[in-house]
Amino acid sequence: MTSDSKHSDTVAAPRRAGRREWIGLAVLAMPTLLISLDMTVLHLAVPHLSADLRPSSAQLLWIVDIYGFLIAGSLITMGTLGDRIGRRKLLMIGGAAFGAASVLAAVASSPGQLIAARAVLGLAGATLMPSTMSLIRNMFHDPKQRTVAISVWLSSFMLGAGAGPLVGGAMLEHFWWGSVFLLNVPVMVVLLAAGPLLLPEFKDPVPGRLDVLSAVLSLVTVLSFVYGIKKTAEHGLSLVPVLAMAAGLAVGAVFLRRQRRQRQPFVDLRLFANRGFTISLAAVGLTVFASGGMMFFIGQYLQMVLGLSPFQAGLYGLPGVLAGLVTILGAPVLLRLMRHAYLMGAGLLVSVVGVLMLAQVGPDSSAATVIAALVVLHLGFGPTMALGTDMIIAGAPPERAGTASALSETGTEMGMALGIAVIGSAGTAVYRSQMTDGLPAGVPADAAGPALDTIGGAAAVAERLPAEVGGALMDAAGKAFVSGLHLTAYVSAAMITVIAVLVTVLLRDVRPGDGGHGEPVTGSPTPTTPDAVTTP
């Protein structure tokens, strides 16, 4: 064999990231942390802003929900838009809008103003999330470095979600309710100042025109479906949520048909031909689905059964979040010992142990028991979330990284909402059944309805009753709620076990960046080809 042929058979190693890229990753982690923090930080401020702004019940629901609704509904549109106009450009636009909307939310003097500010925050957050993840895809070409970078990114998101109640509680002890929004402003200033210096620009070299109709269809699909799911989880099945979900499915079918017929589709469905991308996307979404309903019950258990305040419940959940950070950040190191599929599967089986521990708690269990179970649970989830996300991003060609990121995050949002609605509803049905059979004597007929509906309703009714009757009601509600929690835990454990087996079997021969069968992903450059349309 000649030297030339030897040279042609040699593939150059991917370019390794340097100090600039790692500092850039820190810049990307900051808005990611804030996006997830803003999803939870408002809950503690609700009593304070309610006393100040006096919103109606409908306005209060929109104040709380509009942010998450618009993030979920706009992710696909914003991820695709970033592929077309440039991910750094979209990140800068979103950062400026997020900072400005935070100021408007902090100084809002009416419910309508706060709802509008939260809506802009949701739209801006939807630009930030896929932009940060897709930029990581373009900054870190070496597979090992990319896995570490994805783990750091995911850790910042998880830390923000866990820190939300704690940060909100600390701010509200010293400042007015609007102060929780002003946390965003200095971070966005740093992003706008450092982003152009540290982050490369990247966009699809052949972007095609932006299909506005497809963008509207995707928005309507996700918003309608998520709205219907959340309202079903909150109030049970009724006509309006069912119609919303049906409309979402119908519009979604139109959206998919349009993508198949377009020469340059809004969402390239060929991404799903990559087995690593598709199985990882399903694994992450189903894992969140399996755990969502159970975690919804755990939050209520800590507050309604064990009597913790929201701040205390957040504090008790922090060890689990920190445990998850350990395995998320440790996943790249553990890859030296086993393949992606085996590590993900093993981690999920560890999480099953944590779920089964939660299935043993009772009305009088100590919070320490719950903390230990949550630590085990999050230790197991860490590798699947980190490595699954890595395989999703690596499974898409660089020019589709924004779309892949948006699909990943949309799948997580949908999985959580569905988990709360489906598995949570099953647990709620157990609660209602047991309360119907065991409602204590002395509870007035006009108060029985709320008490039978939710444990929160039972707590509100108990406050208005004589101490003896109220105590008996809460004892019965606690036992019924724990029975519902046990059901959700056993269902979650069974589902996660199945997911662990499927991940191990279906991904055992797949590595990040191949086409699911050992070949390079269609449309991705060879390691020696620089990313298209990349500028410093």
Side-chain angles (χ1 to χ4, degrees):
M1 181 180 293
T2 65
S3 59
D4 288 341
S5 62
K6 288 181 181 180
H7 178 75
S8 65
D9 291 338
T10 302
V11 178
R15 178 172 59 84
R16 291 180 61 81
R19 182 169 57 182
R20 176 181 174 182
E21 284 80 10
W22 290 109
I23 298 174
L25 176 63
V27 173
L28 292 176
M30 291 190 298
T32 304
L33 185 148
L34 282 180
I35 293 165
S36 59
L37 188 146
D38 266 36
M39 291 180 177
T40 55
V41 73
L42 187 67
H43 292 96
L44 291 179
V46 164
H48 303 268
L49 69 87
S50 296
D52 188 14
L53 302 182
R54 304 191 177 209
S56 67
S57 58
Q59 288 174 324
L60 185 59
L61 284 174
W62 280 113
I63 289 171
V64 174
D65 289 340
I66 191 68
Y67 177 76
F69 279 149
L70 285 180
I71 281 185
S74 306
L75 281 169
I76 294 176
T77 297
M78 296 305 180
T80 304
L81 182 62
D83 288 342
R84 283 166 165 76
I85 71 170
R87 292 158 194 165
R88 186 180 68 187
K89 179 185 293 185
L90 185 64
L91 181 66
M92 296 297 102
I93 294 171
F98 202 87
S102 297
V103 174
L104 293 176
V107 301
S109 58
S110 70
Q113 290 178 12
L114 185 54
I115 291 170
R118 290 276 289 171
V120 177
L121 279 171
L123 290 171
T127 69
L128 298 175
M129 292 174 71
S131 296
T132 54
M133 192 192 295
S134 57
L135 280 170
I136 289 173
R137 171 70 173 87
N138 304 124
M139 293 163 62
F140 296 90
H141 304 273
D142 179 81
K144 292 181 180 179
Q145 288 188 323
R146 186 191 59 244
T147 302
V148 173
I150 289 289
S151 298
V152 171
W153 180 89
L154 191 61
S155 296
S156 65
F157 189 86
M158 188 173 179
L159 183 61
L166 306 182
V167 173
M171 295 292 290
L172 291 169
E173 283 186 10
H174 300 94
F175 307 104
W176 91 111
W177 61 265
S179 64
V180 299
F181 296 108
L182 293 182
L183 290 170
N184 302 330
V185 177
V187 173
M188 293 304 152
V189 170
V190 172
L191 173 66
L192 294 173
L197 300 176
L198 295 170
L199 305 175
E201 181 58 288
F202 185 95
K203 62 181 178 180
D204 189 340
V206 189
R209 65 181 181 84
L210 181 64
D211 186 354
V212 177
L213 178 57
S214 288
V216 172
L217 290 173
S218 71
L219 180 66
V220 173
T221 297
V222 179
L223 276 181
S224 299
F225 198 68
V226 170
Y227 175 84
I229 291 170
K230 288 194 173 186
K231 293 308 172 186
T232 299
E234 291 171 4
H235 308 295
L237 281 175
S238 60
L239 181 61
V240 172
V242 169
L243 289 177
M245 287 187 285
L249 291 174
V251 177
V254 175
F255 173 78
L256 291 175
R257 183 179 180 185
R258 182 173 177 82
Q259 303 318 297
R260 293 191 185 100
R261 300 175 66 177
Q262 294 282 86
R263 176 179 294 180
Q264 293 179 313
F266 187 73
V267 173
D268 191 349
L269 299 182
R270 290 175 299 176
L271 287 171
F272 293 94
N274 182 317
R275 182 153 55 99
F277 174 89
T278 303
I279 299 301
S280 297
L281 186 66
V284 171
L286 288 173
T287 298
V288 174
F289 169 82
S291 60
M294 182 192 59
M295 297 305 295
F296 177 69
F297 261 66
I298 288 296
Q300 294 181 80
Y301 171 81
L302 290 171
Q303 296 177 61
M304 297 295 179
V305 180
L306 298 188
L308 302 179
S309 68
F311 179 79
Q312 288 173 322
L315 192 61
Y316 277 67
L318 191 58
V321 172
L322 296 177
L325 294 180
V326 170
T327 49
I328 286 174
L329 294 173
V333 178
L334 294 174
L335 281 176
R336 300 173 185 173
L337 304 177
M338 62 182 75
R339 293 183 180 183
H340 283 71
Y342 299 149
L343 181 54
M344 291 167 67
L348 288 174
L349 292 179
V350 170
S351 70
V352 170
V353 176
V355 175
L356 293 177
M357 291 171 65
L358 290 173
Q360 309 308 312
V361 300
D364 301 319
S365 295
S366 67
T369 302
V370 180
I371 291 173
L374 291 175
V375 166
V376 176
L377 177 70
H378 284 93
L379 281 173
F381 277 154
T384 294
M385 301 307 293
L387 302 182
T389 302
D390 183 32
M391 295 189 78
I392 292 168
I393 299 305
E399 63 272 15
R400 296 287 182 268
T403 303
S405 303
L407 289 171
S408 173
E409 290 151 9
T410 302
T412 301
E413 293 282 340
M414 297 283 279
M416 179 63 70
L418 274 169
I420 293 173
V422 177
I423 300 178
S425 293
T428 300
V430 171
Y431 168 84
R432 290 170 179 165
S433 174
Q434 291 203 8
M435 285 296 288
T436 300
D437 297 335
L439 190 69
V443 178
D446 60 345
L452 295 175
D453 194 34
T454 65
I455 190 170
V461 169
E463 290 180 354
R464 303 194 300 267
L465 297 176
E468 184 177 348
V469 178
L473 175 61
M474 287 310 297
D475 286 342
K479 292 176 182 177
F481 188 83
V482 166
S483 297
L485 170 60
H486 291 168
L487 174 68
T488 64
Y490 285 125
V491 171
S492 296
M495 287 191 64
I496 296 170
T497 301
V498 172
I499 297 167
V501 173
L502 293 176
V503 164
T504 304
V505 173
L506 297 177
L507 291 180
R508 66 183 184 277
D509 297 323
V510 179
R511 299 180 186 277
D514 68 25
H517 305 285
E519 73 275 8
V521 180
T522 302
S524 61
T526 63
T528 56
T529 303
D531 283 346
V533 196
T534 303
T535 59

